[in-house]
Amino acid sequence: MARGKLRIYLGAAPGVGKTYAMLSEAHRRVERGTDCVVAFVEHHDRPRTEVMLHGLEQIPRKELEYRGTRFTEMDVDAVLERAPAVALVDELPHTNIPGSRNAKRWQDIEELLAAGIHVISTCNIQHLESLGDIVESITGIRQKETVPDEMVRRADQIELVDMSPHALRRRMAHGNIYKSHKINAALSNYFRLGNLTALRELALLWVADRVDEYLQEYRSEHRVSKIWGSRERIVVGLTGGPEGRTLIRRAARLAEKGAGGEVLAVYIARSDGLASGSPKELADQRTLIEDLGGTFHHVLGEDIPSALLEFARGVNATQIVVGTSRRRAWQYIFGPGVGATVAVDSGPDLDVHIVTHEEAAKGRGLPVARGARLGRSRTIWGWLAGVLAPALLTLLLTHVDVRLGLANDMLLFLTLTVAAALLGGFLPALASALVGSFLLNWFFTPPVDRLSIADPKNILALAIFVLVAASVASVVDLAARRTHQAARLRAESEILSFLAGSVLRGETTLDALLERVRETFAMDTVVLLEREGDTAPWTCTGSVGDVSPIERPEDADVDMPVGDDMALALTGRVLPAEDRRVLAAFAAQAAVVLDRQRLQTQADHARKLAEGDRIRTALLAAVSHDLRTPLAGIKASVTSLRSDDIEWSDEDQAELLAGIEEGADRLDQLIGNLLDMSRLQTGTVTPLIREVDLDEVVPMALGGVPEGSVTLDIPEDLPIVAVDPGLLERSVANIVENAVKYSPAGEPVLVSASALGNRVEVRVADRGPGVPDDAKDRIFAPFQRYSDTPRGAGVGLGLAVARGFAEAIGGTLDAEDTPGGGMTMVLTVPAAAGHLPARADLPAAATS
């Protein structure tokens, strides 16, 4: 069965019209004859959205009871049994009620997709898991309901539902999003103009990145090499010189002129002879480009202009920024330079900016080593000097009536041989020596115009001429080889030094390292394979690239073993043998990074186990007496009631039974706090955030204290809060019970609440002895009690549990002094951020 397709309507904030757009699409599909049903759509009492449900088939919801309240969730089984072509499922990040088929709604959607059902859903940008920290920094609110980015990335279609912040605020003010009593609080908190603008930009950039990914996949699949200027992507060519910082800043200014511009700085380590860049300069330039929001890339290339253009086309760049050459005027006889070559070869689809700087025409400072042997152009000039130049010299000497003598003629021909050796190396110089010796013998050695030699001294002179020419050519060629090797080894050492430093600093993840390998060697795919034994199958532990992962090292173009059971496999081209040294270092570092990640995972697991052992030890030490005290009282009362030799009166029996009940209540409270603390320490508390009114939760938390011991002051106009009602109730209950315990008789505890910006404060004030400032933090630690509280009063977990639950729902709990004496506990919780909970009593038809 083919997997269903997922379409997501993505918005920047609640109320932009995601659900309305989804329902409009459903009506269009129904009109075209598509079998489309509403699996779960929440209209939040918005009349316009509610009207859009008319005419669409709705799957009945499943009712669940949780903590005495009935909720409705999507009935996954009913949708699967109905098996429509398209199902509408609202609110992708929603957390299902405990007892549901899955914990998250996106997991329900995965089941529908696996069953071949197409799904249309909605999501806000603030609910993406990777953006949680950014959204919190913008709005001050941490989103509890999130969806993995990968779930949204894998969607077949993502459609942005956009609206300007001013229009959204007008829609809010007109009552099209929230009820009238919530509008002012929403507009002054979450729906502030700055918040909405930032969230809108975040949504636009995230969608733009996804579009860029799809474009890269398409270009790779269809082998499109031509640059498509869909967005400004600027490549900065760095040489490692001081002018690099000027180029980076210039590129950053160019990127700022267009929305979504991106800057990529690339340093190409040449193996054909360019002087290497300064490591310090490169480190400073890497920091600068990253501070400006760009990325730094280190590439090995044989030819600087070609490598730079290949990199730019590979990342679909639209512009290249290079600096004016640092060559002096006379050095241009060796070629036009990198900038001019890049400008000529860039083509019409790639703009090249040649930027002037202070280092222009000042020289490189170090001599330029010529590598890749002597280069193609120099080899051609060497052959011309070795073959044509002797013929031209002969023509000149035979037509000019000047007799220089054989010795001088031989020196002139030897000069041409040395020039051929300097330009073209061994073979052109050897050819020059042979041609020169022939011409000397034929035209200048008596008898002329014949190959015979009359004087034996001339034979020795010609032999020495050939020997000297061959020796000079050999020395020059050997020097060229050594220069090439030194330049390549220098480039390799730069890459390896950079690699080792980043790995040792812990800056490189396995995927980042594999991407660096792919980028450095210009490969299509890089995969790290591992197996458990010689006969076990290979498994992929990490891969990057556009092609399907490699299953065996033998299937790759290049494979580099790492021990017996690990290999680095690459596809794209066959690497020369000299490149395998660097690849071997990358493979070894990949194994190190993988081992370090696994060791880190094991260390985290061991740390959790150690923390659990510490908690268990503390629990045993703390409760060894506190649990025995009520148990001893219960046992004594039961033993007395069972005694046959004493006849108890009704009053005595009632008193003993009351003692048993009191001891059982104390045991229940102690065990409850111990269990809650254990859940908090092990991270198993999963809050279910929804909107509630404080006056629904706080009164329920006062059931465990004596009647008349608490005065309640909760205003009716408070904004609703986004919390887990159960955890908030337990937190308030522990705070109030602690306050009542220390408050003097006849002095009731005051529980009040007030709104403060986008937060709501609950203050619990008592008239007890209070706590010094230096002890206010210690009272929230587990198993800590202040002053001379008797052991039977508890194990010191009440406030620790209260703070733990407060932090779990996104709130805070602090202690401060009560004016006039005593202590006040301040519990701060977030006000509603716009997400409304599912309601069991949804109207069946529109109300307006």
Side-chain angles (χ1 to χ4, degrees):
M1 178 183 296
R3 179 180 172 85
K5 294 184 177 181
L6 175 61
R7 178 172 184 171
I8 296 176
Y9 286 92
L10 183 69
V16 295
K18 303 179 302 298
T19 304
Y20 190 93
M22 178 178 66
L23 293 172
S24 299
E25 175 64 19
H27 280 288
R28 285 192 293 270
R29 297 197 180 199
V30 169
E31 290 174 0
R32 295 195 302 263
T34 305
D35 182 15
C36 184
V37 302
V38 175
F40 189 98
V41 169
E42 184 61 75
H43 56 69
H44 299 302
D45 292 334
R46 296 168 186 167
R48 297 179 182 273
T49 305
E50 189 176 3
V51 168
M52 294 297 294
L53 286 169
H54 294 171
L56 297 176
E57 178 184 351
Q58 300 186 44
I59 303 294
R61 301 183 183 185
K62 185 176 182 180
E63 290 193 0
L64 296 170
E65 185 171 346
Y66 179 67
R67 293 182 177 177
T69 305
R70 300 195 66 80
F71 300 89
T72 60
E73 295 287 0
M74 180 175 66
D75 193 337
V76 179
D77 291 324
V79 179
L80 292 174
E81 182 179 356
R82 171 64 174 76
V86 180
L88 274 59
V89 184
D90 206 1
E91 298 178 353
L92 180 65
H94 173 73
T95 300
N96 293 330
I97 296 296
S100 300
R101 183 189 187 97
N102 296 301
K104 292 284 190 175
R105 184 165 292 163
W106 62 264
Q107 294 171 326
D108 295 337
I109 292 176
E110 281 285 358
E111 287 196 38
L112 301 183
L113 295 173
I117 301 174
H118 302 321
V119 176
I120 304 177
S121 188
T122 63
C123 180
N124 282 331
I125 192 67
Q126 68 263 28
H127 293 294
L128 293 181
E129 200 167 71
S130 66
L131 302 180
D133 295 337
I134 300 176
V135 173
E136 184 178 13
S137 67
I138 294 172
T139 64
I141 298 173
R142 182 73 179 189
Q143 298 293 331
K144 298 300 182 180
E145 289 190 329
T146 59
V147 59
D149 286 46
E150 184 62 23
M151 177 68 183
V152 182
R153 288 176 187 271
R154 286 191 285 109
D156 299 275
Q157 286 182 280
I158 300 177
E159 183 170 333
L160 180 66
V161 182
D162 190 27
M163 176 175 287
S164 70
H166 293 284
L168 183 57
R169 284 173 60 85
R170 284 196 301 270
R171 177 179 287 186
M172 170 71 72
H174 293 160
N176 294 331
I177 301 176
Y178 290 158
K179 297 295 185 182
S180 58
H181 65 281
K182 302 176 184 178
I183 292 176
N184 290 334
L187 290 175
S188 60
N189 292 283
Y190 190 86
F191 284 81
R192 292 195 301 267
L193 193 61
N195 285 2
L196 296 179
T197 303
L199 290 174
R200 187 189 189 200
E201 180 183 24
L202 191 63
L204 291 170
L205 291 176
W206 193 91
V207 173
D209 287 340
R210 301 296 75 71
V211 173
D212 193 58
E213 287 181 5
Y214 299 150
L215 178 61
Q216 292 291 352
E217 292 177 5
Y218 179 87
R219 285 169 53 85
S220 177
E221 292 174 0
H222 294 77
R223 301 186 182 277
V224 177
S225 59
K226 184 179 179 181
I227 293 176
W228 292 353
S230 54
R231 67 185 291 190
E232 290 297 334
R233 185 174 281 108
I234 304 172
V235 170
V236 184
L238 302 178
T239 65
E243 76 280 0
R245 283 166 285 183
T246 301
L247 303 183
I248 291 172
R249 293 189 179 97
R250 176 62 173 167
R253 290 196 296 271
L254 288 174
E256 289 174 356
K257 294 180 180 179
E262 183 179 358
V263 180
L264 301 89
V266 56
Y267 171 66
I268 301 174
R270 285 187 59 168
S271 62
D272 65 347
L274 264 185
S276 62
S278 165
K280 182 178 183 302
E281 281 290 345
L282 288 174
D284 292 342
Q285 291 166 19
R286 177 190 178 96
T287 302
L288 176 61
I289 187 65
E290 291 177 348
D291 289 343
L292 293 174
T295 56
F296 182 87
H297 304 267
H298 199 133
V299 176
L300 185 66
E302 296 293 333
D303 180 71
I304 294 294
S306 299
L308 183 58
L309 288 170
E310 182 180 354
F311 177 85
R313 292 191 173 99
V315 298
N316 198 31
T318 57
Q319 302 180 56
I320 294 180
V321 174
V322 293
T324 304
S325 178
R326 286 183 286 150
R327 292 179 173 188
R328 299 188 187 278
W330 63 268
Q331 291 177 308
Y332 281 96
I333 63 175
F334 298 110
V338 173
T341 305
V342 169
V344 171
D345 298 341
S346 61
D349 53 355
L350 190 57
D351 297 334
V352 178
H353 302 265
I354 300 180
V355 180
T356 58
H357 51 83
E358 294 180 353
E359 303 298 322
K362 290 185 178 180
R364 292 192 176 93
L366 292 175
V368 179
R370 299 294 168 184
R373 303 300 169 86
L374 295 176
R376 183 177 179 183
S377 61
R378 287 186 59 183
T379 302
I380 293 174
W381 282 105
W383 280 101
L384 293 175
V387 177
L388 294 181
L392 294 175
L393 179 61
T394 301
L395 183 64
L396 177 65
L397 293 177
T398 55
H399 286 75
V400 177
D401 190 15
V402 177
R403 299 294 178 179
L404 299 177
L406 182 60
N408 289 327
D409 292 339
M410 294 180 67
L411 287 176
L412 290 175
F413 277 94
L414 182 60
T415 301
L416 295 179
T417 302
V418 172
L422 292 174
L423 289 173
F426 181 77
L427 292 179
L430 184 59
S432 177
L434 294 175
V435 172
S437 65
F438 171 80
L439 294 175
L440 283 169
N441 185 5
W442 184 270
F443 289 101
F444 302 102
T445 304
V448 295
D449 299 333
R450 296 177 62 183
L451 290 178
S452 59
I453 301 174
D455 190 348
K457 293 181 180 179
N458 291 337
I459 297 176
L460 179 61
L462 288 175
I464 294 175
F465 168 81
V466 174
L467 179 62
V468 170
S471 299
V472 171
S474 177
V475 170
V476 172
D477 185 70
L478 180 61
R481 290 172 183 267
R482 294 292 183 262
T483 301
H484 167 73
Q485 293 172 358
R488 182 171 185 85
L489 290 174
R490 180 173 58 244
E492 291 178 359
S493 65
E494 290 172 0
I495 292 178
L496 294 177
S497 175
F498 172 79
L499 170 67
S502 62
V503 171
L504 289 175
R505 291 191 299 269
E507 299 173 352
T508 304
T509 63
L510 181 59
D511 288 344
L513 180 62
L514 296 182
E515 180 62 30
R516 182 68 64 181
V517 175
R518 190 182 73 85
E519 188 177 86
T520 299
F521 296 100
M523 306 300 283
D524 293 332
T525 304
V526 179
V527 179
L528 184 63
L529 300 173
E530 189 179 22
R531 61 182 179 182
E532 296 181 357
D534 293 340
T535 59
W538 290 95
T539 58
C540 175
T541 58
S543 66
V544 295
D546 301 327
V547 187
S548 58
I550 306 164
E551 297 182 356
R552 298 182 306 166
E554 296 82 1
D555 300 335
D557 295 325
V558 181
D559 69 282
M560 176 60 63
V562 188
D564 296 331
D565 301 322
M566 188 177 293
L568 191 64
L570 304 88
T571 62
R573 65 188 179 96
V574 178
L575 290 180
E578 55 191 3
D579 283 341
R580 294 181 67 88
R581 292 193 302 270
V582 179
L583 182 60
F586 271 107
Q589 291 288 14
V592 171
V593 171
L594 181 61
D595 289 341
R596 188 179 64 200
Q597 289 181 352
R598 289 174 175 172
L599 289 174
Q600 183 64 43
T601 302
Q602 294 174 4
D604 293 340
H605 181 64
R607 191 178 300 110
K608 290 181 180 179
L609 292 177
E611 181 68 15
D613 290 340
R614 188 189 69 81
I615 292 297
R616 283 193 291 271
T617 302
L619 286 173
L620 291 174
V623 307
S624 59
H625 180 275
D626 295 280
L627 287 179
R628 287 180 178 176
T629 300
L631 282 174
I634 293 173
K635 181 174 178 58
S637 299
V638 171
T639 302
S640 299
L641 288 173
R642 289 172 57 93
S643 177
D644 297 333
D645 55 350
I646 300 178
E647 185 157 340
W648 302 98
S649 65
D650 293 341
E651 292 80 4
D652 292 336
Q653 289 183 6
E655 185 176 351
L656 291 173
L657 290 173
I660 294 173
E661 184 178 12
E662 181 181 353
D665 290 340
R666 185 181 301 173
L667 275 178
D668 180 66
Q669 183 181 8
L670 288 173
I671 293 173
N673 279 336
L674 290 174
L675 291 176
D676 289 339
M677 197 66 222
S678 177
R679 291 169 57 207
L680 288 170
Q681 294 288 352
T682 55
T684 57
V685 176
T686 304
L688 180 64
I689 305 298
R690 64 186 183 90
E691 285 188 354
V692 294
D693 288 321
L694 276 181
D695 55 10
E696 297 178 8
V697 178
V698 175
M700 298 176 63
L702 308 182
V705 297
E707 187 175 353
S709 60
V710 175
T711 300
L712 195 60
D713 181 16
I714 306 294
E716 295 183 357
D717 59 349
L718 279 179
I720 58 177
V721 294
V723 296
D724 183 312
L727 296 182
L728 177 61
E729 178 186 337
R730 294 292 300 278
S731 182
V732 174
N734 280 6
I735 297 171
V736 172
E737 289 174 6
N738 183 79
V740 170
K741 183 191 305 181
Y742 288 98
S743 189
E747 292 285 347
V749 173
L750 175 62
V751 179
S752 60
S754 59
L756 183 63
N758 60 348
R759 316 284 287 179
V760 175
E761 284 188 353
V762 178
R763 306 177 70 88
V764 180
D766 64 59
R767 292 295 181 179
V771 175
D773 291 338
D774 58 356
K776 282 186 170 63
D777 285 334
R778 294 202 307 271
I779 62 177
F780 294 103
F783 313 112
Q784 298 293 322
R785 288 172 297 184
Y786 180 70
S787 188
D788 56 351
T789 305
R791 292 284 298 174
V795 295
L797 287 177
L799 293 181
V801 170
R803 173 174 274 188
F805 283 163
E807 292 175 350
I809 60 177
T812 60
L813 178 60
D814 299 294
E816 59 183 44
D817 294 329
T818 302
M823 186 172 64
T824 298
M825 290 291 175
V826 182
L827 173 63
T828 304
V829 294
H835 172 66
L836 300 180
R839 292 178 51 182
D841 56 346
L842 290 174
T847 57
S848 61

